[in-house]
Amino acid sequence: MKTSTPPNSSPTLAINGGERAITTDAPESWLLGPSEIGKEEIDAVVRVLESKRLFRFLKNRSDSSVAQFEDLFAEMSGAKNALAVNSGTSALICGLVGIGVSQGDEVLVPAYTYIATAAAVLALGAIPILVEVDDSLTMDPEDLERKITPRSRAVVPVHMRGMPCDMEAILGVTERHGLLVLEDCAQANGATYRNRAVGTWGNAGAFSLQEFKVITAGEGGVVITNDKDVFNRAAVYHDSAYAFWMEGRLKTGEGASTELDAWKDMCFLGENYRLSEVHGAIALEQLKKRDRILTRTRAIKRRLSAACAAIPGSQPEKNHDVDGECGIALALFMESPEEAVRLSEALKAEGVVCGTRFSRDIPDRHIFFHWDYVLEKRSPHRNGFPWTSNPSHIPEYTKDMCPKTIDRMSRAVIFSITQNMSDTYVDQVCFAIEKVAGGFIASTKT
Ligand SMILES: *Cc1c(COP(=O)(O)O)cnc(C)c1O
């Protein structure tokens, strides 16, 4: 055993009355996209207002901010098609319609994701089946395979916290079982897996432009796909008058007329998930800033990860693509929930912004345990649809049905990362982590 460190060499932890490691100001905002809002977004919105046309389909494609946003998003993702919609939830709904999920289908979703992933499945009358997460806190491919039934139709892997799922293993499973894939990329805008954008690995990908995501338009979303049929189905569903606008386009000679007949025949009911030109203008300017944000967050995460290696008893998160992930959050696991709380409290006392994630009492809607309306099968319909439509096939949901997910979530300490952390601030966070690590070593020795 090494005994070279005298017991009083580590400075007193702030939690034990010592001085705080972090003395410099914390970032003014921890939000990613919103803190980049500047002249570009403001001018773009003003231009839309001055045009006095806020509706995308009464403009030529070349004059529409929404269309320009779609084109740039498709290009930056390397996807053939992009459809802008008005939220991440509507992107999921349109994506599910696009790939062909129907009422009664089972759709496998991870037990750790925002509740909207499950809600989108239910909105179509399909049934969410919960899958455990692995040490990256994304869908565990082995548990996915175990949860497949003859009624399974599709899988929604969710790239939580900007971390790509184990797509190779997941696609191996979906190919073996003939399942469709819609990637939920709401938290992973700009992430790549093996140098290819997330959202292009499955049959389609869904993104969110809500305020807490990498880039934002206040609200908004995008569906991307390389499959023209999937795109057409999603586009038709996103607008109850889609055929009408496209026929108008055709008359003015705009748009791909050869494809028109094909999708006109399959036109079905649509709703309204359109994005406005005002939102499109903001989204377009934010998109141009996306990769700059991620270059910074990734660099910061590397430094924090290195510092965390010193924490005794900690295990780093699994990372399925170190270079491609967004770098917007960092997780590590302790051996027990109590240790996770002890570490997180010590770090917080030093001024580090971090925390544990699972609590029975705090209703965090990102963990299935707190998906009350799913677990309790509440429905907006008088007849209880879809829970009542085929009772013999409806699963039982319980709060302990995904114990590995609860175990991982309760042992995790998660650090927030934003591009707004100054170099000095990052230095001090690293110092704080090392200081607490040293304190933990000292405390385990006495
Ligand atoms: C935010 C989010 C959604 C929903 O996006 P909205 O734009 O809020 O509708 C879906 N899935 C995940 C993983 C999310 O984080």
Side-chain angles (χ1 to χ4, degrees):
M1 214 214 303
K2 270 183 86 177
T3 50
S4 58
T5 315
N8 61 352
S9 74
S10 28
T12 308
L13 299 187
I15 198 162
N16 298 328
E19 274 176 40
R20 264 170 65 117
I22 298 187
T23 53
T24 188
D25 286 341
E28 229 169 80
S29 167
W30 287 83
L31 298 179
L32 299 153
S35 34
E36 299 297 324
I37 293 173
K39 191 166 177 351
E40 299 81 7
E41 286 83 351
I42 292 166
D43 289 350
V45 168
V46 169
R47 280 196 300 276
V48 169
L49 294 175
E50 283 172 352
S51 80
K52 299 187 193 269
R53 278 291 165 88
L54 312 187
F55 179 60
R56 67 169 301 181
F57 289 126
L58 286 178
K59 292 183 159 180
N60 292 329
R61 248 195 103 74
S62 52
D63 296 332
S64 160
S65 298
V66 176
Q68 283 164 26
F69 169 72
E70 289 172 339
D71 291 347
L72 184 62
F73 200 90
E75 187 192 318
M76 286 171 71
S77 317
K80 291 198 180 117
N81 311 278
L83 175 75
V85 292
N86 60 5
S87 75
T89 307
S90 34
L92 287 167
I93 291 172
C94 294
L96 290 168
V97 171
I99 64 175
V101 167
S102 315
Q103 178 189 332
D105 289 341
E106 287 183 0
V107 178
L108 297 115
V109 304
Y112 172 51
T113 176
Y114 184 49
I115 192 169
T117 314
V121 171
L122 286 165
L124 296 178
I127 304 297
I129 301 295
L130 306 191
V131 178
E132 299 270 23
V133 295
D134 68 13
D135 279 335
S136 70
L137 300 180
T138 66
M139 183 179 271
D140 176 355
E142 282 174 29
D143 195 51
L144 167 65
E145 191 145 32
R146 274 194 288 275
K147 300 278 169 72
I148 290 170
T149 76
R151 296 169 300 280
S152 304
R153 172 84 173 157
V155 179
V156 184
V158 184
H159 308 294
M160 279 302 270
R161 309 177 300 117
M163 298 273 283
C165 301
D166 187 352
M167 287 310 289
E168 180 179 12
I170 289 172
L171 292 174
V173 174
T174 57
E175 273 157 30
R176 268 199 297 288
H177 295 270
L179 301 177
L180 300 160
V181 178
L182 172 67
E183 297 173 68
D184 180 337
C185 315
Q187 299 192 6
N189 200 337
T192 57
Y193 175 75
R194 303 203 174 155
N195 292 318
R196 211 170 98 195
V198 296
T200 61
W201 288 86
N203 301 86
F207 294 77
S208 167
L209 302 171
Q210 186 267 346
E211 175 145 289
F212 306 150
K213 316 298 174 167
V214 176
I215 57 166
T216 187
E219 300 284 359
V222 196
V223 183
I224 60 172
T225 177
N226 283 319
D227 184 328
K228 193 72 192 179
D229 283 339
V230 170
F231 174 78
N232 286 340
R233 288 177 56 90
V236 165
Y237 198 71
H238 111 292
D239 182 347
S240 53
Y242 192 71
F244 177 76
W245 308 122
M246 291 308 116
E247 278 164 34
R249 284 263 154 85
L250 191 67
K251 280 182 200 134
T252 62
E254 231 198 296
S257 54
T258 46
E259 283 157 14
L260 189 71
D261 289 340
W263 65 257
K264 236 169 94 180
D265 288 344
M266 62 133 229
C267 262
F268 44 69
L269 141 112
E271 304 204 24
N272 176 5
Y273 297 122
R274 289 183 308 255
L275 193 66
S276 87
E277 282 293 300
V278 176
H279 292 87
I282 302 169
L284 177 61
E285 295 309 319
Q286 286 264 302
L287 181 56
K288 294 175 190 165
K289 301 176 178 181
R290 184 190 72 185
D291 292 351
R292 184 167 50 72
I293 296 174
L294 297 182
T295 303
R296 174 79 185 147
T297 52
R298 285 173 180 136
I300 295 170
K301 179 161 176 180
R302 274 176 215 282
R303 293 204 50 203
L304 301 190
S305 302
C308 284
I311 300 171
S314 73
Q315 177 206 331
E317 64 190 342
K318 198 184 218 174
N319 195 329
H320 297 296
D321 198 311
V322 177
D323 298 319
E325 64 126 332
C326 291
I328 55 176
L330 180 143
L332 57 81
F333 301 100
M334 297 302 283
E335 275 152 21
S336 68
E338 295 72 28
E339 279 295 286
V341 170
R342 191 164 83 95
L343 175 66
S344 131
E345 291 307 314
L347 287 165
K348 282 196 263 188
E350 302 292 342
V352 179
V353 175
C354 68
T356 52
R357 280 301 155 92
F358 177 70
S359 154
R360 287 175 177 272
D361 306 317
I362 301 166
D364 178 346
R365 303 287 174 212
H366 294 85
I367 306 175
F368 80 97
F369 188 95
H370 292 297
W371 295 354
D372 294 349
Y373 62 76
V374 178
L375 302 191
E376 293 166 17
K377 299 179 179 165
R378 289 190 227 139
S379 163
H381 301 279
R382 248 190 336 273
N383 67 1
F385 173 86
W387 302 115
T388 44
S389 39
N390 199 344
S392 66
H393 284 160
I394 303 294
E396 275 309 311
Y397 298 100
T398 62
K399 280 186 181 272
D400 52 16
M401 70 190 300
C402 289
K404 289 182 179 158
T405 298
I406 296 298
D407 172 60
R408 288 187 168 102
M409 294 309 300
S410 39
R411 289 186 298 105
V413 175
I414 300 186
F415 298 73
S416 299
I417 297 173
T418 141
Q419 77 277 19
N420 304 321
M421 297 162 87
S422 68
D423 287 341
T424 314
Y425 185 79
V426 176
D427 288 344
Q428 294 195 352
V429 174
C430 291
F431 171 67
I433 293 169
E434 281 150 16
K435 178 183 166 191
V436 168
F440 269 47
I441 293 168
S443 79
T444 47
K445 275 187 185 157
T446 49

mmCIF file of all heavy atoms in Angstrom, residues 87-90 92 113-114 116-117 158 160 184 186-187 208-210 213 219-220 366, ligand 1:
data_model
loop_
_atom_site.group_PDB
_atom_site.id
_atom_site.type_symbol
_atom_site.label_atom_id
_atom_site.label_comp_id
_atom_site.label_asym_id
_atom_site.label_seq_id
_atom_site.Cartn_x
_atom_site.Cartn_y
_atom_site.Cartn_z
ATOM 1 N N SER A 87 -42.479 20.668 -32.723
ATOM 2 C CA SER A 87 -41.901 20.232 -31.440
ATOM 3 C C SER A 87 -41.192 18.897 -31.628
ATOM 4 O O SER A 87 -41.364 18.222 -32.661
ATOM 5 C CB SER A 87 -42.973 20.086 -30.352
ATOM 6 O OG SER A 87 -43.733 18.914 -30.546
ATOM 7 N N GLY A 88 -40.434 18.530 -30.610
ATOM 8 C CA GLY A 88 -39.799 17.215 -30.636
ATOM 9 C C GLY A 88 -40.831 16.112 -30.540
ATOM 10 O O GLY A 88 -40.699 15.053 -31.166
ATOM 11 N N THR A 89 -41.868 16.358 -29.761
ATOM 12 C CA THR A 89 -42.933 15.364 -29.635
ATOM 13 C C THR A 89 -43.617 15.158 -30.986
ATOM 14 O O THR A 89 -43.869 14.014 -31.399
ATOM 15 C CB THR A 89 -43.959 15.815 -28.570
ATOM 16 O OG1 THR A 89 -43.259 16.105 -27.357
ATOM 17 C CG2 THR A 89 -44.999 14.747 -28.317
ATOM 18 N N SER A 90 -43.901 16.256 -31.694
ATOM 19 C CA SER A 90 -44.533 16.067 -33.005
ATOM 20 C C SER A 90 -43.564 15.430 -33.996
ATOM 21 O O SER A 90 -43.986 14.686 -34.885
ATOM 22 C CB SER A 90 -45.158 17.359 -33.548
ATOM 23 O OG SER A 90 -44.463 18.493 -33.198
ATOM 24 N N LEU A 92 -41.502 13.090 -33.174
ATOM 25 C CA LEU A 92 -41.621 11.662 -32.854
ATOM 26 C C LEU A 92 -42.908 11.090 -33.438
ATOM 27 O O LEU A 92 -42.904 10.010 -34.040
ATOM 28 C CB LEU A 92 -41.604 11.445 -31.334
ATOM 29 C CG LEU A 92 -40.256 11.632 -30.630
ATOM 30 C CD1 LEU A 92 -40.439 11.708 -29.122
ATOM 31 C CD2 LEU A 92 -39.299 10.490 -30.994
ATOM 32 N N THR A 113 -35.772 8.122 -20.477
ATOM 33 C CA THR A 113 -35.941 9.082 -21.574
ATOM 34 C C THR A 113 -37.022 10.030 -21.116
ATOM 35 O O THR A 113 -37.794 9.726 -20.204
ATOM 36 C CB THR A 113 -36.350 8.413 -22.897
ATOM 37 O OG1 THR A 113 -36.587 9.446 -23.888
ATOM 38 C CG2 THR A 113 -37.631 7.602 -22.776
ATOM 39 N N TYR A 114 -37.113 11.178 -21.747
ATOM 40 C CA TYR A 114 -38.211 12.071 -21.390
ATOM 41 C C TYR A 114 -39.535 11.366 -21.719
ATOM 42 O O TYR A 114 -39.640 10.651 -22.721
ATOM 43 C CB TYR A 114 -38.071 13.390 -22.157
ATOM 44 C CG TYR A 114 -39.112 14.401 -21.761
ATOM 45 C CD1 TYR A 114 -39.351 14.676 -20.413
ATOM 46 C CD2 TYR A 114 -39.867 15.065 -22.714
ATOM 47 C CE1 TYR A 114 -40.321 15.594 -20.046
ATOM 48 C CE2 TYR A 114 -40.833 15.979 -22.355
ATOM 49 C CZ TYR A 114 -41.061 16.239 -21.018
ATOM 50 O OH TYR A 114 -42.019 17.133 -20.659
ATOM 51 N N ALA A 116 -42.067 12.129 -23.089
ATOM 52 C CA ALA A 116 -42.656 12.397 -24.413
ATOM 53 C C ALA A 116 -42.394 11.255 -25.397
ATOM 54 O O ALA A 116 -43.189 11.035 -26.317
ATOM 55 C CB ALA A 116 -42.095 13.701 -24.986
ATOM 56 N N THR A 117 -41.288 10.522 -25.213
ATOM 57 C CA THR A 117 -41.012 9.398 -26.109
ATOM 58 C C THR A 117 -42.138 8.370 -26.005
ATOM 59 O O THR A 117 -42.676 7.901 -27.020
ATOM 60 C CB THR A 117 -39.667 8.728 -25.747
ATOM 61 O OG1 THR A 117 -38.672 9.739 -25.548
ATOM 62 C CG2 THR A 117 -39.216 7.775 -26.826
ATOM 63 N N VAL A 158 -32.944 6.143 -27.757
ATOM 64 C CA VAL A 158 -32.881 7.575 -27.414
ATOM 65 C C VAL A 158 -31.437 7.929 -27.058
ATOM 66 O O VAL A 158 -30.865 7.340 -26.136
ATOM 67 C CB VAL A 158 -33.811 7.906 -26.229
ATOM 68 C CG1 VAL A 158 -33.801 9.406 -25.958
ATOM 69 C CG2 VAL A 158 -35.234 7.414 -26.500
ATOM 70 N N MET A 160 -29.719 9.818 -25.161
ATOM 71 C CA MET A 160 -29.908 10.707 -24.011
ATOM 72 C C MET A 160 -28.642 11.489 -23.701
ATOM 73 O O MET A 160 -27.534 10.999 -23.843
ATOM 74 C CB MET A 160 -30.287 9.880 -22.775
ATOM 75 C CG MET A 160 -31.743 9.500 -22.709
ATOM 76 S SD MET A 160 -32.855 10.919 -22.734
ATOM 77 C CE MET A 160 -33.016 11.282 -20.981
ATOM 78 N N ASP A 184 -34.632 8.735 -31.349
ATOM 79 C CA ASP A 184 -35.008 9.974 -30.659
ATOM 80 C C ASP A 184 -33.711 10.735 -30.378
ATOM 81 O O ASP A 184 -32.925 10.359 -29.506
ATOM 82 C CB ASP A 184 -35.754 9.640 -29.363
ATOM 83 C CG ASP A 184 -36.185 10.889 -28.589
ATOM 84 O OD1 ASP A 184 -35.568 11.952 -28.776
ATOM 85 O OD2 ASP A 184 -37.132 10.789 -27.786
ATOM 86 N N ALA A 186 -33.620 14.028 -29.663
ATOM 87 C CA ALA A 186 -34.019 15.317 -29.084
ATOM 88 C C ALA A 186 -32.875 15.961 -28.307
ATOM 89 O O ALA A 186 -32.703 17.173 -28.336
ATOM 90 C CB ALA A 186 -35.239 15.134 -28.184
ATOM 91 N N GLN A 187 -32.087 15.129 -27.606
ATOM 92 C CA GLN A 187 -31.008 15.681 -26.772
ATOM 93 C C GLN A 187 -29.651 15.553 -27.447
ATOM 94 O O GLN A 187 -28.628 15.828 -26.830
ATOM 95 C CB GLN A 187 -30.973 14.955 -25.419
ATOM 96 C CG GLN A 187 -32.268 15.123 -24.632
ATOM 97 C CD GLN A 187 -32.151 14.675 -23.190
ATOM 98 O OE1 GLN A 187 -31.074 14.336 -22.702
ATOM 99 N NE2 GLN A 187 -33.269 14.676 -22.486
ATOM 100 N N SER A 208 -35.512 17.762 -31.394
ATOM 101 C CA SER A 208 -36.308 18.811 -30.739
ATOM 102 C C SER A 208 -35.550 20.135 -30.774
ATOM 103 O O SER A 208 -34.318 20.156 -30.685
ATOM 104 C CB SER A 208 -36.570 18.435 -29.284
ATOM 105 O OG SER A 208 -37.069 19.550 -28.560
ATOM 106 N N LEU A 209 -36.289 21.225 -30.889
ATOM 107 C CA LEU A 209 -35.699 22.568 -30.827
ATOM 108 C C LEU A 209 -36.240 23.321 -29.613
ATOM 109 O O LEU A 209 -36.297 24.547 -29.597
ATOM 110 C CB LEU A 209 -36.015 23.344 -32.108
ATOM 111 C CG LEU A 209 -35.529 22.691 -33.406
ATOM 112 C CD1 LEU A 209 -36.097 23.433 -34.620
ATOM 113 C CD2 LEU A 209 -34.002 22.671 -33.461
ATOM 114 N N GLN A 210 -36.645 22.550 -28.601
ATOM 115 C CA GLN A 210 -37.148 23.152 -27.381
ATOM 116 C C GLN A 210 -35.981 23.830 -26.657
ATOM 117 O O GLN A 210 -34.816 23.552 -26.933
ATOM 118 C CB GLN A 210 -37.815 22.032 -26.544
ATOM 119 C CG GLN A 210 -38.531 22.476 -25.291
ATOM 120 C CD GLN A 210 -37.631 22.415 -24.090
ATOM 121 O OE1 GLN A 210 -36.575 21.810 -24.119
ATOM 122 N NE2 GLN A 210 -38.057 23.067 -23.014
ATOM 123 N N LYS A 213 -32.577 22.143 -25.281
ATOM 124 C CA LYS A 213 -31.787 21.270 -26.156
ATOM 125 C C LYS A 213 -30.552 22.025 -26.674
ATOM 126 O O LYS A 213 -30.350 23.180 -26.360
ATOM 127 C CB LYS A 213 -32.648 20.780 -27.308
ATOM 128 C CG LYS A 213 -34.046 20.339 -26.900
ATOM 129 C CD LYS A 213 -34.074 19.147 -25.937
ATOM 130 C CE LYS A 213 -35.498 18.903 -25.489
ATOM 131 N NZ LYS A 213 -35.799 17.698 -24.826
ATOM 132 N N GLU A 219 -39.662 26.544 -29.464
ATOM 133 C CA GLU A 219 -40.250 25.226 -29.687
ATOM 134 C C GLU A 219 -39.910 24.849 -31.128
ATOM 135 O O GLU A 219 -39.661 25.717 -31.967
ATOM 136 C CB GLU A 219 -41.777 25.241 -29.527
ATOM 137 C CG GLU A 219 -42.291 25.665 -28.158
ATOM 138 C CD GLU A 219 -42.147 24.595 -27.073
ATOM 139 O OE1 GLU A 219 -41.648 23.486 -27.368
ATOM 140 O OE2 GLU A 219 -42.524 24.901 -25.925
ATOM 141 N N GLY A 220 -39.963 23.568 -31.405
ATOM 142 C CA GLY A 220 -39.720 23.127 -32.782
ATOM 143 C C GLY A 220 -39.153 21.723 -32.796
ATOM 144 O O GLY A 220 -38.786 21.183 -31.743
ATOM 145 N N HIS A 366 -38.042 11.977 -16.602
ATOM 146 C CA HIS A 366 -37.117 11.284 -17.494
ATOM 147 C C HIS A 366 -36.913 9.832 -17.079
ATOM 148 O O HIS A 366 -36.251 9.071 -17.764
ATOM 149 C CB HIS A 366 -35.757 11.992 -17.525
ATOM 150 C CG HIS A 366 -35.817 13.364 -18.130
ATOM 151 N ND1 HIS A 366 -36.160 14.478 -17.418
ATOM 152 C CD2 HIS A 366 -35.590 13.791 -19.399
ATOM 153 C CE1 HIS A 366 -36.125 15.534 -18.206
ATOM 154 N NE2 HIS A 366 -35.791 15.150 -19.418
HETATM 155 C C1 LIG B 1 -37.245 17.163 -25.112
HETATM 156 C C2 LIG B 1 -37.400 15.749 -25.463
HETATM 157 C C3 LIG B 1 -38.488 15.296 -26.227
HETATM 158 C C4 LIG B 1 -39.655 16.165 -26.573
HETATM 159 O O1 LIG B 1 -39.328 17.317 -27.244
HETATM 160 P P1 LIG B 1 -40.334 18.587 -27.171
HETATM 161 O O2 LIG B 1 -39.768 19.520 -28.167
HETATM 162 O O3 LIG B 1 -40.282 19.098 -25.782
HETATM 163 O O4 LIG B 1 -41.683 18.099 -27.555
HETATM 164 C C5 LIG B 1 -38.509 13.966 -26.594
HETATM 165 N N1 LIG B 1 -37.533 13.114 -26.241
HETATM 166 C C6 LIG B 1 -36.484 13.512 -25.485
HETATM 167 C C7 LIG B 1 -35.413 12.521 -25.154
HETATM 168 C C8 LIG B 1 -36.396 14.839 -25.057
HETATM 169 O O5 LIG B 1 -35.356 15.209 -24.307
#
